[in-house]
Amino acid sequence: MVRLTVDLIAKSSSHIRKKGDRSLPDYLRRLTHLNFSNRSIVDIISRISNLGFACRLTHLYLQNNCIGHMEDLCQLECLAKLYLGGNCIAVVEGLERLTKLKELHVENQRLAPGEKLLLDPRTLLCLADSLCVLNISQNAVDDVWDLGVLRGLTHLSATDNLLQRVQDLEEVFSQWPQLQRLDLIGNPVCQKPKYRDRLITACPRLEVLDGKEINDLSRQFLVNWKASKEASKEAGKRARDERALAAQAPHHPFLTHLDTALSRGAVLSCSLANSLPRREPLKGPGPHGLPRPLDPSHSSATRDHSLALALRASSSPGLCHGALGDSNAL
C-alpha cells in the first residue's frame, strides 16, 4: 500500500527541482499545487494521509490511482480545486472544512457492480456557497436530489449516468440561479420528450446544454411557450374546481320544488291569459242614447281569476290540470 506522504513528495523528481536550496518543511509550507495523478504501477496511491503540512495547497491532482476513501483532507482549508477522478471512491465525504473549494472532480470511479457514487449531505451543505464546478460523470448516479443545496453551482457534468426523470431535474436545477453549463449526455432522460426545452426554461442563465449553445431567441420562445401552457393549465384547473364546487353544493328539496313550480307557473300564466275568451263589448247606445261604459267589474274579475289560477299552479304542479279546467269554464 502506497500513501501520499511527505516522504513520497520529497522523493518526487519534480518537487526536488522546485525545492532548490530551501528546506523541505519550508518548501512544503509554500506548496500550492500538488500533482500525483496517473502514477506508475509501482507508486500507485491508495490512501491520502499526512497532508497537514500543506496548509497553503490550492490545487490537488490525484486522478487515476486506487484511492478508496477521502481522508486527511480537512486541513487543506485553502484548497480550491480537487481532482479525484478514476479512483475507487464510493462516498464523497470529509470536506466539511474546505469552504473555499470551487471545483470538485470525482468522475469515473471504479465501483463494484450495482454500486453508485454517494455524496455526504453534510459535505454538500458545507460546500453550498463555494462550489462552482462539480463533475460526477460515469458513476451510476440515478438522482440529483441531494445536490439541490449547491446554490452557487455554475457547471455540472453528470454524463453517462442513470438519470431518468425530467421533472426531478427541473426541480433541482431551478434552485441553481448561477448555472451556466450543463452536461447530461448519455443519460436515459435525454431521450424524453421536451427534455431540452424544459431544462432551458427551468434554468434562466443556462448558456450551454450538452455541448450546444442556447441563444436568446430560442430561450424567449420557450419561456413564452411555458407561460402560455401554465396559464392554460391554471384556467382548466379553475374550471374543474368550479364544477366540483357546484356539484357539492347542497340542494334543498323545497328550493328545488319552488324553482320548478315558479317556472311552470310563469308558463301557465301566459297560457291562461291567452286561453281566456275575449268579451265583445255591447253594441248599440246605452240608456237615454248615451254610449255604453265598459264593464269594469267583468274585466277586473277576469284578471283576478287568471292571477289566482297562475298562483295556484305555481305553488303546486299537481294543480295544473285543475287550473286549466277552471279556465275552460270561464
Side-chain angles (χ1 to χ4, degrees):
M1 177 186 296
V2 177
R3 299 185 181 185
L4 178 58
T5 62
V6 173
D7 292 337
L8 185 61
I9 296 172
K11 294 176 183 179
S12 171
S13 59
S14 62
H15 287 286
I16 290 175
R17 290 192 302 270
K18 293 178 182 178
K19 184 175 74 67
D21 296 335
R22 287 174 293 181
S23 65
L24 182 60
D26 181 56
Y27 170 72
L28 294 176
R29 280 194 299 269
R30 297 173 182 271
L31 194 64
T32 60
H33 291 58
L34 186 59
N35 189 342
F36 272 82
S37 61
N38 298 292
R39 301 301 294 176
S40 66
I41 192 64
V42 176
D43 291 335
I44 198 162
I45 297 170
S46 58
R47 295 190 65 184
I48 309 169
S49 60
N50 302 320
L51 286 180
F53 62 86
C55 58
R56 296 188 181 182
L57 200 65
T58 60
H59 294 59
L60 180 58
Y61 302 85
L62 292 172
Q63 306 99 303
N64 302 319
N65 284 290
C66 284
I67 299 170
H69 301 280
M70 299 178 64
E71 53 191 345
D72 201 32
L73 293 172
C74 60
Q75 300 181 54
L76 306 180
E77 297 182 5
C78 292
L79 199 64
K81 297 184 180 182
L82 177 58
Y83 295 83
L84 291 169
N87 282 285
C88 306
I89 299 170
V91 181
V92 176
E93 58 185 346
L95 305 179
E96 287 81 359
R97 295 176 61 181
L98 275 59
T99 56
K100 296 181 180 179
L101 191 66
K102 293 187 177 298
E103 295 189 19
L104 176 60
H105 301 263
V106 288
E107 72 282 1
N108 191 28
Q109 299 300 312
R110 299 192 296 274
L111 303 174
E115 196 173 17
K116 67 177 181 178
L117 180 69
L118 301 175
L119 293 96
D120 187 343
R122 294 169 297 180
T123 288
L124 293 175
L125 189 60
C126 292
L127 299 178
D129 295 324
S130 65
L131 197 65
C132 297
V133 178
L134 177 62
N135 188 346
I136 54 172
S137 297
Q138 297 176 284
N139 283 313
V141 175
D142 55 7
D143 74 77
V144 293
W145 286 108
D146 289 341
L147 305 181
V149 297
L150 300 176
R151 298 179 295 272
L153 212 62
T154 62
H155 181 188
L156 172 67
S157 182
T159 62
D160 299 310
N161 280 302
L162 302 176
L163 301 174
Q164 299 197 37
R165 286 174 50 85
V166 182
Q167 184 176 353
D168 294 349
L169 302 184
E170 285 180 299
E171 293 187 25
V172 173
F173 297 164
S174 63
Q175 301 177 48
W176 300 344
Q178 308 300 323
L179 188 65
Q180 299 175 11
R181 188 180 184 92
L182 185 58
D183 298 311
L184 298 173
I185 293 174
N187 283 277
V189 71
C190 298
Q191 307 302 321
K192 298 298 177 68
K194 300 292 184 181
Y195 150 78
R196 184 176 177 86
D197 297 348
R198 292 173 64 176
L199 290 189
I200 290 175
T201 55
C203 308
R205 298 191 62 180
L206 194 64
E207 298 176 358
V208 181
L209 175 58
D210 295 338
K212 297 181 180 179
E213 292 187 0
I214 303 166
N215 60 58
D216 293 337
L217 184 61
S218 298
R219 183 192 304 280
Q220 190 58 51
F221 171 79
L222 292 173
V223 169
N224 293 340
W225 164 76
K226 183 179 180 180
S228 175
K229 182 179 179 181
E230 289 179 349
S232 177
K233 184 178 179 180
E234 184 62 25
K237 182 178 181 300
R238 284 199 303 268
R240 290 193 298 271
D241 291 344
E242 291 174 359
R243 288 196 296 269
L245 186 61
Q248 295 174 2
H251 294 282
H252 196 282
F254 173 75
L255 295 178
T256 303
H257 174 71
L258 181 60
D259 289 342
T260 304
L262 291 175
S263 177
R264 291 179 178 177
V267 174
L268 182 59
S269 62
C270 293
S271 300
L272 289 173
N274 293 330
S275 64
L276 290 174
R278 297 183 179 179
R279 182 174 182 178
E280 296 294 333
L282 297 176
K283 298 180 179 180
H288 310 292
L290 297 175
R292 290 183 178 273
L294 295 176
D295 188 351
S297 62
H298 179 271
S299 60
S300 175
T302 302
R303 182 172 61 252
D304 293 345
H305 185 64
S306 300
L307 180 59
L309 289 176
L311 290 175
R312 289 174 58 196
S314 65
S315 63
S316 177
L319 295 178
C320 291
H321 179 72
L324 289 174
D326 290 344
S327 67
N328 292 331
L330 291 176

